[in-house]
Amino acid sequence: MKVSEDHPRYRSLVVRERMSELVREGVVAPTGLIAHGRGEAFDYLLGERTSPSALEAERAAAAYLLEAKRPVITVNGNAAGLCAEGLLSLARAVPAKVEVNLFHRTPERVEKVVSFLESVGGKDILGRQQESVLEGIASDRALCAAEGIASADVVLIPLEDGDRAGALVKAGKIVLAIDLNPLSRTSVVSNVTAVDELTRAVPNIERFVRELKDAPEERRRVIESYDNQHTLREARETMRSVLQGMGKT
Ligand code: ATP
């Protein structure tokens, strides 16, 4: 199907093509395409734009990242494929460490994703060596780097699965999620959930990092007044009103 560049679906089609190319290159896992499709469906229900409550969550995420002593941003194949430059730029702005952490972990895929990040300017990317273990999850998915996730106090997890998000919370970390599904286990267990598309959320968080960098009192006020249950309710409410609006046309 040929879609013109000004068609609203054009961007999604370009992204899909790019994601399937990255599956061929081994950066994105084949099942990553399924997760991507689920994200697209939820984004429809959000009207494919950032809601005011997602913006609040993104501001709170920025505040937590700046207040952290050892902030880490985790990157999987999908996150790298969709938003490598944005995530690296955010990591530099905080500054935060970046750790590659894969659901389907093989040394070859870790190498592919780390090299992919390095090819777009990433430096000191963690993940090739993961000698620590997160309690409460099975096998390879529990592995993490001692100087990264294992010793982090705040972890930003774009597109993470619920088991690992829960294990990070149990390990006492502040967990900041970006997830288009407000019903997912990741969204529900995290301390902050930006119910937003990754490529919209990450630049917003970076903008708030710059805004709050020299405003320590304001960022502590943002953290104190933030309520993730409220954010999740508002995200569901946005979806409900988008669906109702569709019914009226
Ligand atoms: P959980 O394990 O947290 O209950 P899940 O089984 O749906 O949820 P996964 O399939 O591991 O989780 O993760 C994919 C999640 O990422 C989905 O919730 C999906 O909506 C979300 N997602 C996919 N693409 C994007 C994107 N581009 N931006 C934000 N979120 C996305």
Side-chain angles (χ1 to χ4, degrees):
M1 182 177 64
K2 182 103 180 79
V3 174
S4 75
E5 286 188 25
D6 51 7
H7 191 281
R9 297 265 68 75
Y10 181 77
R11 187 180 172 277
S12 331
L13 293 174
V14 170
V15 172
R16 276 185 205 171
E17 277 306 312
R18 180 77 189 122
M19 293 295 272
S20 14
E21 236 170 69
L22 290 171
V23 170
R24 287 190 287 277
E25 288 173 26
V27 173
V28 172
T31 51
L33 294 183
I34 298 170
H36 181 70
R38 184 157 43 227
E40 281 188 345
F42 278 105
D43 206 17
Y44 248 70
L45 301 180
L46 285 172
E48 293 176 306
R49 53 179 177 258
T50 301
S51 67
S53 66
L55 261 190
E56 263 178 47
E58 287 154 9
R59 197 155 188 260
Y64 270 115
L65 285 168
L66 288 168
E67 283 294 300
K69 291 196 173 58
R70 297 179 62 87
V72 171
I73 299 175
T74 72
V75 180
N76 61 16
N78 277 38
L82 289 167
C83 195
E85 283 97 339
L87 288 162
L88 293 171
S89 175
L90 172 62
R92 282 191 296 270
V94 175
K97 290 185 178 170
V98 174
E99 178 168 344
V100 168
N101 202 23
L102 303 182
F103 188 86
H104 299 285
R105 189 185 198 286
T106 63
E108 294 74 29
R109 269 204 69 227
V110 172
E111 187 51 45
K112 291 243 159 120
V113 180
V114 174
S115 306
F116 182 76
L117 291 171
E118 288 171 345
S119 74
V120 292
K123 300 227 168 16
D124 304 320
I125 307 290
L126 300 169
R128 286 186 173 109
Q129 261 92 49
Q130 291 187 305
E131 56 289 89
S132 294
V133 169
L134 266 181
E135 294 292 318
I137 34 177
S139 64
D140 283 1
R141 290 166 52 212
L143 293 174
C144 57
E147 51 170 323
I149 293 170
S151 53
D153 54 350
V154 174
V155 189
L156 174 69
I157 50 166
L159 323 184
E160 187 55 276
D161 80 284
D163 290 346
R164 219 153 36 185
L168 289 167
V169 171
K170 278 209 186 100
K173 298 170 197 309
I174 296 288
V175 177
L176 317 171
I178 300 170
D179 192 331
L180 280 160
N181 177 2
L183 306 172
S184 75
R185 289 169 306 154
T186 300
S187 289
V188 172
V189 299
S190 295
N191 300 85
V192 176
T193 309
V195 183
D196 200 2
E197 205 281 321
L198 184 70
T199 62
R200 295 195 301 266
V202 170
N204 285 340
I205 299 174
E206 181 173 339
R207 181 161 55 82
F208 288 127
V209 162
R210 294 186 190 285
E211 179 195 307
L212 294 170
K213 194 136 214 174
D214 298 318
E217 278 177 28
E218 173 62 6
R219 60 187 190 238
R220 285 194 277 275
R221 196 200 59 73
V222 168
I223 289 172
E224 265 162 40
S225 61
Y226 182 75
D227 175 356
N228 207 43
Q229 293 315 312
H230 171 78
T231 296
L232 294 175
R233 271 197 307 275
E234 288 288 305
R236 295 194 299 265
E237 189 52 36
T238 303
M239 290 180 176
R240 196 179 63 80
S241 54
V242 168
L243 278 169
Q244 275 184 336
M246 281 173 172
K248 283 182 195 132
T249 57

